[in-house]
Amino acid sequence: MKTHNDLMKGLIVIVISTTMITCTKKNEEEQQNISKKEIIDKQFLTEKKQSKLTPDTVLEILKARNKEFSNDNLTIRNTSKRIRKSSLGQFPGAVILSCLDSRVPVEDIFHSGIGDLFVARVAGNISNEDILGSLEFACKVSGAKVILVLGHEHCGAIKSAIDNVELGNITALLSKIKPAIEKTNDFKGEKSSVNPGYLEAVTKANVLHTISNIRNNSPLLKEMESKGKIKIVGAEYHMETGNVEFLSD
């Protein structure tokens, strides 16, 4: 028969064990938060940090940094020390496929500094062989965990495609946007470049069309995504607010 002392000892053991489990869990959570903070802050993204990133964590970072940008809560990220250090190597967390538009300063939108992001720019954020090769280099060779196709409001390339502009090599470029226009045939309202609603619908359809092209035309990136090594996502940049709206495909 257990004595009072035995019962008290057993109770103490249970309390200590529960406390240790709680403390361990808390320490793990704190360590995870510290890890994310270290990556989100102004420190240079090292190979060690990049290797620990998951695609979901990179997306969290991009969203958090865009919030800093849109809220005008900015810090200095580029310093002479960082510039010198980045010359020894680069380990970006993501690659952004953006439009050529000068009003879309990608690194600023995601409040990032030298060495944080790969950026590929082409009018209408379309994909072709050269763009695909660049995305493959960024992810397969250099370790980026996210491909973000970034469209934006008031896109001149989208407007030109809607208006059937034909001019030099621009004609061939705009032809890559035409499938997005076809995908918005069920749009209710005026289908013209002067209708903001229609322009936005085509812009979003074009982002998703580019994502589809990436998956269809790059078996390498498609395989990496299927294995969870990268994520391919789309978004639209809203110029008037600075906010990046992430899209689901």
Side-chain angles (χ1 to χ4, degrees), residues 21 26-27 31 43 58 63 86 96-97 121 139 215 219 236:
I21 292 172
K26 184 177 180 181
N27 288 337
Q31 184 61 44
Q43 297 302 312
V58 172
K63 291 175 181 179
S86 66
I96 316 297
L97 172 52
R121 304 194 68 150
C139 296
R215 290 172 176 152
E236 181 186 10

Side-chain angles (χ1 to χ4, degrees), residues 9-239:
K9 288 179 181 178
L11 181 60
I12 291 172
V13 170
I14 292 173
V15 171
I16 292 175
S17 298
T18 303
T19 302
M20 289 178 66
I21 292 172
T22 303
C23 290
T24 300
K25 185 176 181 181
K26 184 177 180 181
N27 288 337
E28 288 176 352
E29 290 175 349
E30 287 178 349
Q31 184 61 44
Q32 185 178 19
N33 290 335
I34 290 172
S35 177
K36 288 181 180 179
K37 182 180 182 301
E38 286 177 347
I39 297 169
I40 293 173
D41 71 11
K42 65 182 180 180
Q43 297 302 312
F44 176 67
L45 188 60
T46 64
E47 183 177 11
K48 182 179 179 181
K49 287 182 180 179
Q50 186 202 52
S51 67
K52 292 182 178 180
L53 291 173
T54 66
D56 285 333
T57 300
V58 172
L59 284 173
E60 287 183 36
I61 294 168
L62 291 175
K63 291 175 181 179
R65 288 190 171 188
N66 174 246
K67 187 174 181 180
E68 291 174 343
F69 170 75
S70 59
N71 291 340
D72 200 25
N73 183 24
L74 307 177
T75 58
I76 297 174
R77 292 199 182 277
N78 289 330
T79 62
S80 57
K81 179 180 179 181
R82 183 178 182 133
I83 292 169
R84 291 193 301 272
K85 192 171 182 179
S86 66
S87 67
L88 303 177
Q90 59 173 341
F91 308 98
V95 51
I96 316 297
L97 172 52
S98 169
C99 182
L100 188 69
D101 200 297
S102 64
R103 300 166 295 175
V104 186
V106 177
E107 287 88 350
D108 290 335
I109 289 170
F110 293 106
H111 193 200
S112 298
I114 292 172
D116 284 336
L117 301 174
F118 282 114
V119 180
R121 304 194 68 150
V122 59
N125 42 271
I126 55 94
S127 66
N128 57 24
E129 185 181 46
D130 297 323
I131 293 294
L132 289 173
S134 297
L135 300 181
E136 290 173 351
F137 175 84
C139 296
K140 186 66 174 180
V141 178
S142 296
K145 304 300 176 68
V146 168
I147 295 173
L148 175 60
V149 180
L150 184 65
H152 67 93
E153 288 180 323
H154 316 301
C155 180
I158 300 294
K159 290 181 180 179
S160 296
I162 293 172
D163 293 338
N164 292 307
V165 170
E166 294 185 359
L167 180 64
N169 291 305
I170 297 174
T171 304
L173 185 148
L174 297 180
S175 69
K176 296 177 175 63
I177 299 175
K178 293 296 179 71
I181 297 175
E182 295 173 4
K183 290 179 180 179
T184 56
N185 283 335
D186 59 350
F187 179 82
K188 305 300 182 183
E190 181 184 1
K191 297 176 183 177
S192 75
S193 62
V194 297
N195 181 353
Y198 182 63
L199 186 61
E200 182 169 25
V202 176
T203 296
K204 290 180 176 178
N206 184 56
V207 167
L208 299 181
H209 177 65
T210 296
I211 291 175
S212 178
N213 279 344
I214 293 170
R215 290 172 176 152
N216 291 335
N217 296 310
S218 175
L220 191 156
L221 293 174
K222 184 177 181 179
E223 181 183 14
M224 290 185 73
E225 185 179 38
S226 68
K227 291 182 177 179
K229 294 181 179 180
I230 65 169
K231 277 194 172 183
I232 306 173
V233 298
E236 181 186 10
Y237 172 57
H238 294 278
M239 292 181 172

